[in-house]
Amino acid sequence: GAVVLAPPHLTTSFYFHGGLQGLGTPYRENRDGFAAAVRICSATTPDEARALAERRGVTHIVLPSWDAFMDEYARLGSDDESHTLVALLHRWLPPRWLRPVAYQLPQIPGFEHQSVAVFEVTELQSDATALCRLAAYFAETGQLDLAAAAGRALASSFPDEMDALVARAQVAMA
């Protein structure tokens, strides 16, 4: 039941190898899916992106480091791509309806320095929950500088919340 928003060539791989559905593909017949991917990636507010993603049943957004076509989607649909959903994701500012999912690529020759960011579409989270999940993600993926920054933000903004204390402990252990 997963519907993935990813670059076109990765989407076809998800179809073939994973049996997943996706939006944008490199095939001319899929104009509606391609247009939907452009609209979601180029949305300039989190609410607009959420409404568009929900309308198409998107469950996951995938940003691979080796394929910048998500940026192309944003560029095609916006005059200022620095304010799009994709730009927010690149700056690690996911909207509160996206949860980062820690995923480590298998060890494949030629991909040693590549990464993939996976986001799951969820119900709207509180600010504290969203930041806790981001801190935990950074700790799990070994991005310790970002984990520490998220931990400091949790300490200053949510000093007494139990979830924030747990996330800060996870960051400290990392």
Side-chain angles (χ1 to χ4, degrees):
V3 177
V4 179
L5 173 57
H9 291 293
L10 189 56
T11 299
T12 57
S13 294
F14 285 143
Y15 279 149
F16 185 77
H17 297 289
L20 303 175
Q21 296 179 43
L23 291 185
T25 63
Y27 305 113
R28 181 174 304 181
E29 302 82 19
N30 186 27
R31 289 182 188 183
D32 289 342
F34 192 90
V38 167
R39 289 281 296 128
I40 295 167
C41 288
S42 65
T44 56
T45 68
D47 291 338
E48 176 189 13
R50 181 179 181 205
L52 293 166
E54 285 180 352
R55 186 177 314 148
R56 295 304 296 232
V58 173
T59 59
H60 295 82
I61 297 175
V62 179
L63 293 169
S65 63
W66 63 90
D67 186 341
F69 204 89
M70 297 289 276
D71 298 320
E72 186 65 17
Y73 281 148
R75 189 191 65 73
L76 288 170
S78 176
D79 293 334
D80 184 6
E81 60 211 67
S82 67
H83 295 291
T84 63
L85 174 64
V86 170
L88 289 175
L89 297 179
H90 281 308
R91 292 193 309 264
W92 286 108
L93 297 170
R96 294 183 304 140
W97 52 273
L98 287 177
R99 180 180 69 85
V101 177
Y103 178 78
Q104 296 294 327
L105 289 173
Q107 296 299 317
I108 300 171
F111 279 82
E112 292 89 357
H113 302 290
Q114 302 298 333
S115 63
V116 64
V118 179
F119 297 90
E120 178 185 13
V121 175
T122 66
E123 294 295 319
L124 193 61
Q125 309 165 82
S126 70
D127 288 335
T129 299
L131 189 54
C132 287
R133 288 179 170 174
L134 198 56
Y137 171 85
F138 291 142
E140 289 175 31
T141 58
Q143 299 178 67
L144 301 182
D145 290 342
L146 293 173
R152 288 189 299 275
L154 285 167
S156 67
S157 299
F158 309 102
D160 299 327
E161 288 205 27
M162 180 58 78
D163 290 345
L165 292 170
V166 171
R168 288 172 47 206
Q170 186 176 6
V171 167
M173 287 182 1

